[in-house]
Amino acid sequence: MHQISNYVYARDELLGMNIPTKRLPNPYQDFPYMVIEGVLSPHECRAITAAALEDKEAVQAELRGRSLDTTIRKTDIHTLSSEHRAVYDRRFEAVRKEIEDFFALSLSTSTDVQVLGYESGSFYVRHSDDASELQDHNGNTVGFRTVAPERKLTTVLFTTSYTPNPTDTDHFSGGELLFNYLCDASGNTITLRPEAGDMVVFFSNPYFSHEVLPVKSGYRLSLVQWHNAHT
């Protein structure tokens, strides 16, 4: 393991890999990612979640424009109403400078917001947001091929909360956000269990490869964007 912030380490196999877009935050920060609490209010979270649950036109998520093998990803994509998009934009602008200061960059263009719904059994296997994994004949990852260089930063805003035993559609069990190559000082893989209203922000490069573990019960909803930036 090699230390990349005060409390987080990266697994050593990354050191020998070809990572063209490698970039890490200031190593003197406690964590190499941000968790910004309360970006959305509880009322806003419930309203956006309710709208997604009522959406009869949700589509199965694709992988960069291609039809998707559901052994890789099982997720529904919803559309934000104009009202909820305006709320999202206001809340994002309120934290923009905090994000830019943390990562020492200036955000430029952004993708549309993906509204991703995970019902029981839904998941997304390990992936990098800006690259595809390169594997040898034994299936071992040996490097990465950049496929979306305009994705410098990823933001994930949750409208439902993790809990071990959900009793309503505002909560879910399972569905943890796991950073595959990041760990603590004891070697435990960094795993986040989000609260409704929280935004998780991280670089889109392979150091921050991640997966969504299978949802066991309840409903997991997140608003995802990818951002280009000047560094």
Side-chain angles (χ1 to χ4, degrees):
M1 303 186 304
H2 52 288
Q3 192 166 9
I4 61 172
S5 71
N6 287 340
Y7 299 124
V8 175
Y9 297 73
R11 301 196 184 279
D12 284 339
E13 57 258 41
L14 288 170
L15 292 175
M17 293 185 187
N18 178 29
I19 303 178
T21 56
K22 175 186 174 182
R23 182 176 172 85
L24 296 169
N26 186 326
Y28 297 105
Q29 295 174 145
D30 286 346
F31 301 96
Y33 51 81
M34 299 180 75
V35 179
I36 309 174
E37 298 179 351
V39 175
L40 291 176
S41 71
H43 172 75
E44 291 164 342
C45 288
R46 285 192 294 270
I48 293 172
T49 301
L53 288 168
E54 294 171 2
D55 180 14
K56 305 303 182 185
E57 298 182 359
V59 297
Q60 179 74 40
E62 296 181 341
L63 185 61
R64 299 189 177 102
R66 303 193 308 273
S67 60
L68 189 64
D69 181 347
T70 54
T71 64
I72 297 173
R73 179 181 184 184
K74 186 178 179 184
T75 318
D76 290 331
I77 295 185
H78 303 272
T79 302
L80 280 179
S81 68
S82 58
E83 175 188 359
H84 291 153
R85 179 58 193 260
V87 170
Y88 175 91
D89 288 342
R90 288 197 301 271
R91 299 294 179 254
F92 185 85
E93 285 303 314
V95 297
R96 174 189 286 268
K97 186 176 187 305
E98 184 179 355
I99 293 170
E100 292 178 330
D101 289 348
F102 184 94
F103 291 98
L105 46 70
S106 177
L107 298 177
S108 54
T109 57
S110 302
T111 64
D112 198 5
V113 180
Q114 279 199 1
V115 184
L116 301 180
Y118 292 77
E119 299 178 340
S120 178
S122 296
F123 60 91
Y124 196 171
V125 301
R126 182 178 73 192
H127 63 283
S128 166
D129 284 341
D130 77 346
S132 295
E133 291 190 3
L134 301 175
Q135 298 182 336
D136 63 18
H137 63 278
N138 293 319
N140 300 311
T141 300
V142 295
F144 295 87
R145 178 173 60 89
T146 304
V147 295
E150 70 282 1
R151 294 183 177 184
K152 301 293 195 306
L153 203 68
T154 301
T155 56
V156 186
L157 178 55
F158 293 89
T159 70
T160 57
S161 298
Y162 171 89
T163 187
N165 299 295
T167 58
D168 55 42
T169 53
D170 293 327
H171 297 82
F172 60 92
S173 64
E176 297 93 337
L177 177 63
L178 182 150
F179 288 103
N180 303 93
Y181 295 114
L182 304 184
C183 56
D184 63 20
S186 299
N188 301 307
T189 302
I190 298 297
T191 305
L192 303 183
R193 298 172 176 84
E195 293 285 331
D198 290 356
M199 176 179 280
V200 180
V201 191
F202 50 91
F203 278 125
S204 304
N205 70 62
Y207 262 75
F208 298 87
S209 295
H210 54 282
E211 65 182 283
V212 177
L213 298 182
V215 171
K216 296 178 180 177
S217 60
Y219 188 61
R220 182 190 195 271
L221 191 72
S222 58
L223 313 181
V224 180
Q225 260 191 316
W226 297 277
H227 310 269
N228 207 339
H230 303 295
T231 58

